[in-house]
Amino acid sequence: MTRKPSYSSPPVDSVDPKAVLEVCLCHGVRRASRAITRTFDAALAPSGLTSGQFGILAAVAALQSMPVPVLRGVLAMDRTSLNRTLKPMEVNGLVAIVPGAGRRASQVEITPEGLQAFREAGPLWRAAQSDAAERLGTARIGQLIAGLDVATGLFDQ
Amino acid sequence: MTRKPSYSSPPVDSVDPKAVLEVCLCHGVRRASRAITRTFDAALAPSGLTSGQFGILAAVAALQSMPVPVLRGVLAMDRTSLNRTLKPMEVNGLVAIVPGAGRRASQVEITPEGLQAFREAGPLWRAAQSDAAERLGTARIGQLIAGLDVATGLFDQ
DNA sequence: CAAATAATGATGTATATGCATCATTATGAC
DNA sequence: GTCATAATGATGCATATACATCATTATTTG
């Protein structure tokens, strides 16, 4: 018998929706990011900082002061998104954005209030992170963070 | 000589900002999510779908139709956030939200247009995913996705 | 069945995130 | 020094994400 061409069936290169849910790196990381962010946001809430703001403060606190483009690299964040995110933090006095002396790019500096907020949030973060390590196991959380770091490096830009 | 109490030095339980950048699960997953999302969004752009919309279509396509709360669970997304996200997709004709017959919750259904959009985006997604697997290596990407899945399960709710 | 409790949907508010774009400024090439 | 190129900052637009809250509707208990 002759084989009928099945124009209505999926082409051989069609994508199985279930496979996307199971193996898509983007879907997986976004889903985890939502769940984890909710947990950390709740843990940090008493400090008045969001998880994103806490991370930014950590980066700026680590170096005291840095050019905005450098911070962009550290956070793997879009240029304009970072500027937007820094706005409310500047308004709230957590950071200061000072025009680069001479001809350099603007510097982001942590303010005393920002440092104070970071220090106050520290124990809250530590508790959340410890809880995460306990849930995942130290081996698994280490492996996970290492994998995320590699992925960030490979995909940023 | 007597040891002076150093009230101005950091308390023993203070948090090192550099440590936060290196080990914080939340910071790590958010940063990776940004970088990876940018890449997948760019890859899917020709289809008119965002990475988030593609993931939602995959979930709905996998089951044809499902109650909104079930979809919320699949995506590990906040209840109200999901409703908001579905709005433009409904407006664009990608999904239909039909009131549950009788007394059940609303069902999300994929429309023919939605299925068409998903199929068209399929090859774009496959290319992005293959590229990701190539960059990370099949072993590492598998391990990473597995870890993200576990974390999602542990933190969701 | 009625009351208490839980689930759901809708909105207001706020941060988060990125693309496209425009204007300005810095940097390099010549 | 001038011109081309690149980097930076600012905006408009759009999606993404979540909390708090209110109203409505199920569900469960008594």
Side-chain angles (χ1 to χ4, degrees):
Chain A
M1 64 170 64
T2 57
R3 197 167 63 83
K4 294 178 303 184
S6 53
Y7 293 109
S8 61
S9 65
V12 290
D13 66 340
S14 74
V15 169
D16 176 16
K18 287 195 187 68
V20 173
L21 296 182
E22 288 166 9
V23 308
C24 179
L25 178 63
C26 187
H27 179 255
V29 76
R30 287 171 60 86
R31 194 169 46 135
S33 178
R34 285 191 292 263
I36 294 171
T37 296
R38 278 198 302 272
T39 300
F40 275 74
D41 274 346
L44 292 175
S47 74
L49 296 176
T50 65
S51 54
Q53 292 171 338
F54 181 75
I56 291 177
L57 281 187
V60 183
L63 297 182
Q64 310 292 323
S65 175
M66 63 203 314
V68 175
V70 171
L71 182 57
R72 187 222 78 80
V74 172
L75 301 172
M77 189 180 289
D78 174 79
R79 194 170 61 89
T80 64
S81 297
L82 177 56
N83 284 335
R84 287 271 169 77
T85 300
L86 287 175
K87 275 284 168 53
M89 295 181 70
E90 189 184 20
V91 170
N92 293 340
L94 297 173
V95 298
I97 301 173
V98 302
R103 56 204 170 284
R104 288 182 296 266
S106 298
Q107 295 263 327
V108 188
E109 297 179 354
I110 192 165
T111 62
E113 301 96 305
L115 202 52
Q116 174 70 9
F118 177 78
R119 284 186 177 134
E120 286 177 10
L124 300 174
W125 170 79
R126 192 203 306 279
Q129 177 73 11
S130 294
D131 180 60
E134 207 172 301
R135 292 200 210 190
L136 282 163
T138 49
R140 175 155 244 155
I141 197 174
Q143 209 173 48
L144 182 51
I145 291 172
L148 291 169
D149 269 5
V150 172
T152 299
L154 291 176
F155 287 99
D156 192 23
Q157 303 313 333
Chain B
M1 60 169 62
T2 57
R3 198 167 63 83
K4 293 179 300 182
S6 52
Y7 293 109
S8 60
S9 65
V12 289
D13 66 341
S14 73
V15 168
D16 176 16
K18 287 196 187 70
V20 173
L21 296 182
E22 288 166 11
V23 308
C24 179
L25 177 63
C26 188
H27 180 256
V29 76
R30 288 170 60 86
R31 194 169 45 135
S33 178
R34 284 191 292 263
I36 294 171
T37 296
R38 278 197 302 272
T39 300
F40 274 73
D41 274 345
L44 292 175
S47 74
L49 295 176
T50 65
S51 54
Q53 293 172 337
F54 181 76
I56 291 178
L57 281 186
V60 183
L63 298 181
Q64 312 291 324
S65 175
M66 63 204 313
V68 176
V70 170
L71 182 56
R72 186 221 78 80
V74 171
L75 301 172
M77 189 181 288
D78 174 78
R79 194 169 60 88
T80 65
S81 297
L82 177 56
N83 284 334
R84 286 267 168 77
T85 300
L86 287 175
K87 275 284 169 54
M89 296 182 70
E90 190 184 19
V91 170
N92 293 341
L94 297 173
V95 299
I97 302 173
V98 301
R103 56 204 170 285
R104 288 183 295 265
S106 298
Q107 296 263 328
V108 186
E109 297 179 355
I110 191 165
T111 62
E113 300 96 306
L115 202 51
Q116 174 71 7
F118 177 78
R119 284 186 179 134
E120 286 177 11
L124 301 174
W125 170 77
R126 192 202 307 278
Q129 178 73 13
S130 295
D131 180 61
E134 208 172 302
R135 291 201 210 189
L136 282 162
T138 49
R140 175 156 245 158
I141 197 175
Q143 208 173 49
L144 181 51
I145 291 172
L148 291 169
D149 269 6
V150 171
T152 299
L154 291 175
F155 287 99
D156 191 24
Q157 306 306 336

